[in-house]
Amino acid sequence: MNPLITAIREHEAAARFLAWPGDFDLDRGDHVEEVHLASGAALEGFAGDGAGGTYFFCGDGGEDRPVLYADSEGRAALVAIGLRELLQLLLVVPWWRDCRAFTVQQSAELEAAYTEDIPDLAVRRTRAAQALDLELPATADVMARLRQIATGAGEDYVLIFTPEGEPYEPLIKN
């Protein structure tokens, strides 16, 4: 099977959904600041969003590495273990950054707002998932997993602003 990054580039429906509403662009992997992980592990920017945020693979290896997200406001969190899990998050809950209560109800309210602007959201989501050969877990499962990963990551995944040696603030708190 092709790596998922290749699959995204090859499937227009998937790339379009991930670009919006997912706000995920494989051509935006450069972070605006010099950063490193507190653990000293490798950090590889591979995608970004329209607001200057960056998705990083942590450590060495392939697409199964942990994924850390850093926004442009100095906040960061581990958001997935592997690209497959990140893509499931972006497909099921593309508004995850605004879903701070981590509840199905809050996600449903945000989905309703997105659906007003994108009436065929569910159809586009399904096409993108099929193109990438991904299952779509339940919203509650995705939100619980995000919270678990982000709040239980530990010091190895603290992002440091290199010039000042200062850690980024947690994007997601207990």
Side-chain angles (χ1 to χ4, degrees):
M1 181 177 171
N2 285 339
L4 281 169
I5 288 177
T6 302
I8 294 166
R9 292 191 190 283
E10 292 177 351
H11 292 92
E12 185 179 337
R16 273 197 327 264
F17 186 92
L18 291 170
W20 190 255
D23 200 10
F24 176 86
D25 185 346
L26 289 172
D27 294 327
R28 293 179 184 238
D30 294 330
H31 196 58
V32 296
E33 301 176 325
E34 185 181 347
V35 293
H36 68 275
L37 286 174
S39 67
L43 193 63
E44 177 189 348
F46 69 94
D49 64 25
T54 307
Y55 291 92
F56 296 95
F57 283 125
C58 302
D60 296 318
E63 293 179 348
D64 291 335
R65 292 177 281 173
V67 177
L68 183 131
Y69 172 78
D71 68 15
S72 61
E73 304 297 316
R75 298 175 298 182
L78 196 66
V79 294
I81 305 300
L83 184 57
R84 178 171 293 277
E85 191 171 81
L86 174 65
L87 294 177
Q88 288 174 320
L89 169 66
L90 295 172
L91 289 168
V92 175
V93 191
W95 42 82
W96 68 271
R97 290 174 210 83
D98 297 323
C99 204
R100 300 312 213 166
F102 297 95
T103 65
V104 173
Q105 179 182 345
Q106 185 183 37
S107 181
E109 290 167 2
L110 290 164
E111 183 171 11
Y114 273 70
T115 302
E116 285 181 22
D117 292 332
I118 310 169
D120 63 342
L121 177 74
V123 171
R124 291 181 57 211
R125 172 188 293 139
T126 300
R127 283 187 194 139
Q130 289 171 342
L132 299 173
D133 195 28
L134 292 173
E135 292 182 24
L136 294 174
T139 299
D141 295 340
V142 171
M143 296 302 295
R145 180 71 175 149
L146 173 61
R147 185 176 185 91
Q148 174 191 24
I149 290 169
T151 60
E155 292 182 19
D156 286 348
Y157 298 102
V158 172
L159 192 64
I160 305 293
F161 177 52
T162 301
E164 295 179 9
E166 291 295 319
Y168 271 47
E169 292 294 319
L171 180 67
I172 299 170
K173 298 177 183 178
N174 274 334

